[in-house]
Amino acid sequence: MSALIYCPFPDTQSARKIGEQLLDEGLIGCINVGGPIQSLFIWGGEKGEGEEYPALLKTDEDLLELAISRLEELHPYDAPAVLGWQCVAGKTAESWLRNLGGGGNIRH
């Protein structure tokens, strides 16, 4: 089974840098970094808002917990909102993610 991880970042540079590191470490097969979104939140008992950049990371279910843990270590926020879940994937994606680091050339 495949897995997805969602996480907002303060900017595209940090999302790309951390995504590249997780790719190099073989913990994810892909990261999609989106454009700016407006976030409204409660932090430290205070209401706030800001601009963030969402990222969706694709991995294998066997790597999900390790990828989340590593993402939390690398993330610039003190308490990043990292959400991961198992998901059903098509046969091609399932095969690709099951063999991370195997040199597949699938474009995502």
Side-chain angles (χ1 to χ4, degrees):
M1 184 167 282
S2 298
L4 294 172
I5 301 168
Y6 170 81
C7 184
F9 286 85
D11 52 55
T12 58
Q13 294 82 6
S14 61
R16 290 179 57 94
K17 180 181 176 186
I18 291 170
E20 286 186 35
Q21 186 162 350
L22 295 175
L23 285 166
D24 291 344
E25 293 177 11
L27 295 175
I28 63 170
C30 178
I31 180 171
N32 300 123
V33 180
I37 57 172
Q38 296 301 308
S39 296
L40 304 174
F41 54 85
I42 300 290
W43 181 252
E46 299 288 325
K47 190 165 125 181
E49 64 180 85
E51 187 174 88
E52 294 183 298
Y53 294 79
L56 187 63
L57 300 86
K58 301 168 194 165
T59 190
D60 181 71
E61 71 173 327
D62 293 340
L63 297 172
L64 181 59
E65 287 186 33
L66 186 56
I68 288 173
S69 177
R70 188 70 174 125
L71 177 54
E72 288 176 327
E73 288 174 13
L74 297 171
H75 202 285
Y77 289 165
D78 292 335
V82 180
L83 307 171
W85 62 96
Q86 296 173 339
C87 62
V88 176
K91 290 180 182 180
T92 303
E94 185 74 31
S95 175
W96 161 62
L97 292 170
R98 180 63 66 188
N99 295 299
L100 286 177
N105 270 346
I106 300 170
R107 195 167 262 262
H108 309 280

